[in-house]
Amino acid sequence: MQSAFHRRRLFSPLVAALLAAVGTLAPAPPAAAASGHDPVPELRDKAHSLRSTAPSGDLGDLRPLGRVVGDAAVVGLGEATHGAHEFFTMKHRVFRYLVEKKGFTTFSLEAGWSAGLRLNDYVLQGKGDPKAIMKEEFGKLDMWTVQEYLGLIGWMRSYNTHHTKKVQFMGNDANYPAVGGQLVKIITGYVRRYQPALLPKIDARYRNLSTVRDADAFLSLPLTERKALVSQAAQALDLLRRHPGPDRDKHGWAVQNARSILQSATALSFDTTDPEQVSKALRYRDKIMADNVVWWHEHTGAKILLSAHNAHVAYVPYDTELYPKVQGAFLRDHLGARYVTVGLAFGQGSFRAQDTNGRWRTVTVGPPAKGGNNQILSQVSPSDYFLDMRTMSAPTRTWLDRPRRTRDAGRLWPEPERMVSLGKSYDALIYLHETTAARTLS
């Protein structure tokens, strides 16, 4: 039987765990042969220097990013690791700019839907202690339990106390460590108040799921039992859909919460001993993350900054056989040109990461290897910079479209470099020369 840590790797982030479960992570192949074109002069000419990665202060240097955003409804902003201080503060800074200059009102994190609801209650109403909520909701993963996100959430709360138009926080992922938990209580509370005749049927569908302590306990069940729980969650969702209540908005939220329970149970019910199922699981997770973002946008009307790993916000995956379609591609299907994506890369420095034994530690890496994307990008400007890759000439665009070795680690280390096509993956890029490790809440 797998340890609790290895079961956690199977789910969140699901991509790292599923890859590890079947042992498919392999070193990146050699970089593609040089094209003969040197892209650095044009990249240097079109790069826009960034004043700072800190959230405070003047935001005027982000105007070029604002031009790329245009009238987009959702902006995906990636990150090459889940543990760098400057990545997180840069996202805070970009969100501030988008709120103040582009009318954005929602920050969406690659985190559980139910965790997002709890933090949003604090952001909107001051309900609860955000530090305690973060520890309870993110503690088993630990990558989001950092001072940088506490600072962002604190800024959002402060903003809401001084503005009529409110900002909101959402989690767009399946739930972890909870599967049903809080969401079952929210749904049954809604049904009890607005559709009491439906309550016995809803209770019956969620009864077995409510006895499962958390995702680790769910994963320890035989696959047939997990599938049965998925079926019951689907029945509960169908009941809610077919019986709209008197309040259309509240009914919409109840249905979405039931959908999140079904998503979470389904994500935990793929057979990770089967490589084909692993690929389907990876695709499924990215699809539901995109579905949740689109639902939020359509239901609330909000413009959204989506924060996730580079691989999730991209248009194309780095491994199409294993990872057939990613969140960014699903969002482009839904939103067309109203989805814009920005990669976030770095040269060297430190970041927090989880080793193969589940321990979090600070990792330090030196200058990138010659010939990869990071090494070429490091030559463009002595300062950190922003780059609109859509404006490049045909030769440079061809160079950007070719896959090359790229540092893109997520939350685990050591990790192999990925073969990433910058031009095909993102509309624009933020490059930081050096990072430091994120600061833990403890």
Side-chain angles (χ1 to χ4, degrees), residues 172-241:
N172 77 326
D173 207 344
N175 300 303
Y176 184 88
V179 182
Q182 174 201 12
L183 292 182
V184 170
K185 294 178 182 178
I186 292 173
I187 292 166
T188 54
Y190 160 81
V191 173
R192 185 177 294 109
R193 180 173 181 181
Y194 293 100
Q195 298 170 276
L198 196 60
L199 187 60
K201 293 182 179 180
I202 292 294
D203 279 339
R205 269 61 177 189
Y206 283 137
R207 184 175 298 120
N208 293 333
L209 184 62
S210 296
T211 65
V212 180
R213 184 182 69 257
D214 57 22
D216 288 340
F218 193 103
L219 282 165
S220 69
L221 298 173
L223 189 58
T224 53
E225 291 185 33
R226 283 183 272 159
K227 295 289 188 183
L229 292 174
V230 170
S231 176
Q232 291 161 19
Q235 292 169 30
L237 173 59
D238 184 60
L239 278 169
L240 284 169
R241 279 175 170 159

Side-chain angles (χ1 to χ4, degrees), residues 266-295:
T266 303
L268 292 164
S269 297
F270 288 89
D271 181 1
T272 58
T273 65
D274 179 351
E276 185 177 345
Q277 284 283 299
V278 170
S279 182
K280 289 181 178 179
L282 293 170
R283 186 184 192 279
Y284 178 78
R285 182 187 176 219
D286 273 54
K287 180 181 184 301
I288 64 174
M289 289 194 291
D291 288 346
N292 290 336
V293 169
V294 171
W295 181 90

